[in-house]
Amino acid sequence: MADETEPPNSTGDEGRRPDPDGPGRRLPWFDRLQNGLLSFAGRRFYGQLPAFVHKPFDVLIAWLYRLSSVHHEKSRPLNDGNYNIVIPTDERISVPYVWVVEMFPPSYADGMFRSIRRAGWTQDSPLLGTNVENIIRRARQSGNLGSRSIAKLVDPAEMDQSSRRIFGYKAERLPPMFKSIDVTLVELGSSLTALVAGFELKQHDSLRLDRALRAVREPVVTNLGRGAHSVRSRLDESNRWVERERAAIHDQARGWFVRRMPGVFAAESRGKQLPTMDLIITEIAKPFVTTFRDGGNYLPALGLSPGLFRTTAPELPGISFTQYSPGHQSDPNREYDLYSLSGCLLDIPNNDDATSGGEPPSIRIIANEVNELVPRFLARLGITALLGLKSRSSAASRDLAHDLHSRHAVRSTKKLRESFLRGSLDTLSIASGVRLITTFPNDYKWNVMEFFTERNLIPTLESVSQHVEPESQLSSMLLYQRQQAKSLLRDDAETRQILGVVASLTGSIEGMRVQRWALWISLLSLVTALIAIAISIAAADGGSAHMDVVRSIFSGLRIFWRNVIQ
């Protein structure tokens, strides 16, 4: 979809600025003044000047350097890929769909049922023929590996009679960015349930990345203190803005799902680690194929730059899979589990060529077809993220237990055991369930699209390309998850064994402590009794004979204190 006016960062030649670093340019006044001051500072006598002269001189040079840096960044050609994101005028980047997955182990099952009842998704559905809650309970009891849609929500403004009658959509107020939401139940054995929400974006919001790529950003100056500064280039700032827009779409989807269906990711990672996948459709450039020389530099800003390998699935011809890692993370402590499906509209075949006349399919048709396959695959990716989360939680519990035990060996034993056992039961059930479902590869892969990673045969890399057998991502995930589950079970057993030994030793120590307290209490009782006897004798008869007995008692207590107690 071409614009009527060509943007300044298009690949055309109109409005091209001269390169400020090109030959024959005239230096601005601050550059000439800065060069003169630097030449003066290089003289020998400058070092002999007092220190109070150097400080304002250095501040002035730093200020001039800041003016020079900003001036040069702003003077760069907007349609030069070395200085700015360049995108063809007739290109269009669309993000029609985003998917988010949440996992529910046994300790979160009751919360899942409460959330389903609160959301009103327990009604009998004509597409399912039974109650949603009963379906989940039977799936957890039987240990099946299947999937089915449990809720279809649509914004009231987008609702029509055909959607309600044919597809079973329910009108509900959604976040402004989304047109509809499809929630899919994925059964992962008896100990784990995954819920995958597919968010369809409205037409205007699906082009947010396209608008962010075309927007012209200005260089940003950051003061570092004491006259120092840094200048972030226009290209760097544009990349940050694109990542920020993409993160805003993901956060909207995560936020809605965390509020409606909180699970283990929402509880143990504060809603920041829900595995997320988006779909990016281009109209000109081919993700992972088109190079900078062929079509601009906007694909690297989306994480779709060419590489040695490419991951595709036979079920989705023309679409590639990748794990997306933002280059500029606003929160360094935030852990990202982001994945992306991408493809060029011209490369994706139309499944109904007889009626389409050979025309490429629409973006909405592509998104609906992908939405049928993503939930089961994303649920398998969610297993990997869940095992990683539990591994980190187990390590944190062991560190906390060691810290508590090393500081207060006996008094903190109860707290030590609670800190570990709180997550141990969940870890045991999750790891055992994952180990069980990964034991049978055919069941694990049943009805799940399978991506294969193979050598990326693009012209610039043909000289180094060699025949390599495609690697199945699903098989790699299965092996990794099986090993990770075994490792979790082993670490959990070792930690529980250590805690058992600690509990036994602690019981012995507490028994010895009780015996010591009993000894002191017995001695105190004996002393009290003797004192009472002495006082009663003295009060009954003040004779010298009885007083000699009292003195003998106190003398014996003194000897016992000196020789035994001390």
Side-chain angles (χ1 to χ4, degrees):
M1 184 179 68
D3 298 329
E4 296 180 358
T5 59
E6 187 175 12
N9 59 336
S10 66
T11 53
D13 293 331
E14 292 79 357
R16 177 180 289 274
R17 297 179 182 176
D19 190 347
D21 295 328
R25 69 183 182 94
R26 177 178 174 81
L27 293 176
W29 64 270
F30 40 79
D31 274 350
R32 297 196 299 271
L33 179 58
Q34 181 186 12
N35 292 337
L37 293 177
L38 290 175
S39 177
F40 174 75
R43 301 297 178 90
R44 180 180 301 177
F45 65 86
Y46 176 77
Q48 301 175 357
L49 296 177
F52 69 86
V53 178
H54 291 179
K55 184 174 181 180
F57 194 83
D58 295 339
V59 171
L60 177 59
I61 292 179
W63 179 73
L64 293 174
Y65 180 71
R66 171 176 175 171
L67 290 179
S68 176
S69 301
V70 174
H71 171 76
H72 285 286
E73 285 296 335
K74 289 185 176 181
S75 302
R76 306 294 187 186
L78 296 178
N79 52 3
D80 191 330
N82 294 314
Y83 310 118
N84 192 31
I85 292 181
V86 178
I87 180 171
T89 307
D90 49 354
E91 173 68 285
R92 184 173 70 170
I93 309 296
S94 178
V95 185
Y97 244 96
V98 175
W99 296 269
V100 177
V101 62
E102 179 61 284
M103 311 296 285
F104 297 89
S107 61
Y108 292 87
D110 291 340
M112 175 181 61
F113 292 132
R114 287 195 301 268
S115 299
I116 289 177
R117 289 192 292 269
R118 185 169 57 249
W121 298 347
T122 59
Q123 300 297 326
D124 291 343
S125 171
L127 298 179
L128 303 177
T130 185
N131 186 273
V132 171
E133 193 169 342
N134 294 336
I135 292 174
I136 299 176
R137 293 187 186 278
R138 285 200 300 269
R140 295 180 73 93
Q141 294 172 1
S142 61
N144 294 331
L145 298 177
S147 66
R148 62 189 72 199
S149 176
I150 64 172
K152 292 179 177 291
L153 312 175
V154 66
D155 191 88
E158 305 288 339
M159 190 70 176
D160 54 26
Q161 293 299 325
S162 61
S163 298
R164 184 188 299 273
R165 183 176 63 256
I166 300 176
F167 301 103
Y169 279 96
K170 174 184 176 183
E172 183 173 323
R173 186 175 299 277
L174 304 179
M177 190 181 299
F178 304 119
K179 177 182 178 181
S180 66
I181 301 176
D182 188 359
V183 182
T184 303
L185 164 70
V186 182
E187 304 160 1
L188 298 172
S190 59
S191 62
L192 202 58
T193 300
L195 291 181
V196 180
F199 297 81
E200 182 184 5
L201 277 73
K202 296 179 180 179
Q203 175 68 20
H204 177 76
D205 293 291
S206 67
L207 299 175
R208 290 186 64 161
L209 293 188
D210 186 83
R211 292 191 295 271
L213 289 169
R214 299 181 189 279
V216 178
R217 306 294 166 189
E218 294 300 327
V220 176
V221 180
T222 303
N223 292 320
L224 303 178
R226 296 185 178 181
H229 71 280
S230 66
V231 179
R232 191 159 58 240
S233 66
R234 179 182 282 115
L235 179 61
D236 194 18
E237 182 65 17
S238 298
N239 286 324
R240 287 174 177 268
W241 189 266
V242 172
E243 292 177 359
R244 195 178 298 120
E245 288 293 302
R246 193 171 184 179
I249 298 175
H250 297 162
D251 290 341
Q252 281 272 357
R254 287 195 191 99
W256 183 89
F257 207 36
V258 166
R259 291 190 299 270
R260 299 302 296 270
M261 298 296 298
V264 62
F265 289 131
E268 300 187 16
S269 65
R270 299 181 180 179
K272 295 182 178 181
Q273 201 186 344
L274 272 72
T276 305
M277 179 181 292
D278 55 18
L279 174 64
I280 298 179
I281 302 296
T282 64
E283 292 194 357
I284 295 179
K286 299 179 180 180
F288 305 105
V289 175
T290 302
T291 61
F292 174 82
R293 181 181 58 188
D294 298 331
N297 62 341
Y298 57 97
L299 289 182
L302 301 173
L304 308 178
S305 56
L308 291 177
F309 297 94
R310 187 181 180 187
T311 304
T312 58
E315 296 90 343
L316 294 175
I319 293 181
S320 302
F321 166 79
T322 185
Q323 184 170 5
Y324 168 66
S325 300
H328 308 89
Q329 298 185 10
S330 57
D331 184 2
N333 297 321
R334 180 170 182 173
E335 297 175 351
Y336 288 85
D337 286 276
L338 305 179
Y339 307 92
S340 179
L341 296 175
S342 57
C344 180
L345 190 62
L346 300 178
D347 287 346
I348 302 175
N350 198 325
N351 293 332
D352 193 4
D353 290 334
T355 59
S356 64
E359 293 293 328
S362 66
I363 294 178
R364 183 173 184 180
I365 292 177
I366 296 172
N368 291 335
E369 292 178 353
V370 174
N371 184 48
E372 295 293 328
L373 301 173
V374 163
R376 292 181 291 274
F377 180 71
L378 185 57
R380 269 63 176 179
L381 292 173
I383 295 176
T384 301
L386 178 61
L387 292 175
L389 176 64
K390 283 300 178 181
S391 178
R392 292 189 294 271
S393 299
S394 179
S397 297
R398 288 196 300 270
D399 292 342
L400 176 61
H402 180 271
D403 181 60
L404 291 174
H405 182 66
S406 61
R407 288 187 290 121
H408 308 290
V410 177
R411 287 177 293 175
S412 62
T413 301
K414 184 177 179 181
K415 187 175 181 181
L416 180 150
R417 297 185 66 186
E418 289 178 353
S419 67
F420 176 77
L421 294 178
R422 188 181 298 114
S424 179
L425 296 177
D426 239 10
T427 301
L428 282 173
S429 59
I430 292 172
S432 300
V434 171
R435 187 176 179 181
L436 179 62
I437 64 176
T438 54
T439 304
F440 306 99
N442 292 334
D443 294 340
Y444 182 87
K445 298 180 180 181
W446 181 77
N447 207 19
V448 180
M449 61 178 175
E450 190 163 5
F451 285 91
F452 294 90
T453 300
E454 54 188 351
R455 182 75 70 174
N456 194 8
L457 299 178
I458 58 179
T460 57
L461 300 175
E462 284 182 354
S463 58
V464 297
S465 296
Q466 299 177 359
H467 177 71
V468 179
E469 290 296 328
E471 178 184 357
S472 171
Q473 292 294 317
L474 207 56
S475 298
S476 299
M477 278 196 298
L478 185 147
L479 295 176
Y480 174 79
Q481 292 168 6
R482 183 187 301 168
Q483 294 297 327
Q484 188 76 352
K486 290 181 180 178
S487 177
L488 271 178
L489 290 173
R490 183 178 61 254
D491 294 344
D492 187 82
E494 292 176 355
T495 307
R496 281 188 287 109
Q497 184 179 4
I498 293 173
L499 288 179
V501 174
V502 171
S504 177
L505 293 176
T506 303
S508 301
I509 294 173
E510 289 186 346
M512 294 174 60
R513 174 176 292 181
V514 170
Q515 293 177 2
R516 292 175 58 188
W517 278 105
L519 175 62
W520 283 104
I521 292 174
S522 300
L523 292 176
L524 182 62
S525 301
L526 176 62
V527 171
T528 304
L530 292 176
I531 292 174
I533 293 173
I535 293 174
S536 63
I537 292 175
D541 188 356
S544 60
H546 295 289
M547 292 302 297
D548 291 339
V549 174
V550 173
R551 293 190 188 95
S552 299
I553 291 174
F554 281 104
S555 176
L557 290 175
R558 254 192 329 265
I559 294 173
F560 179 78
W561 175 264
R562 291 174 182 174
N563 297 334
V564 178
I565 303 300
Q566 293 184 348

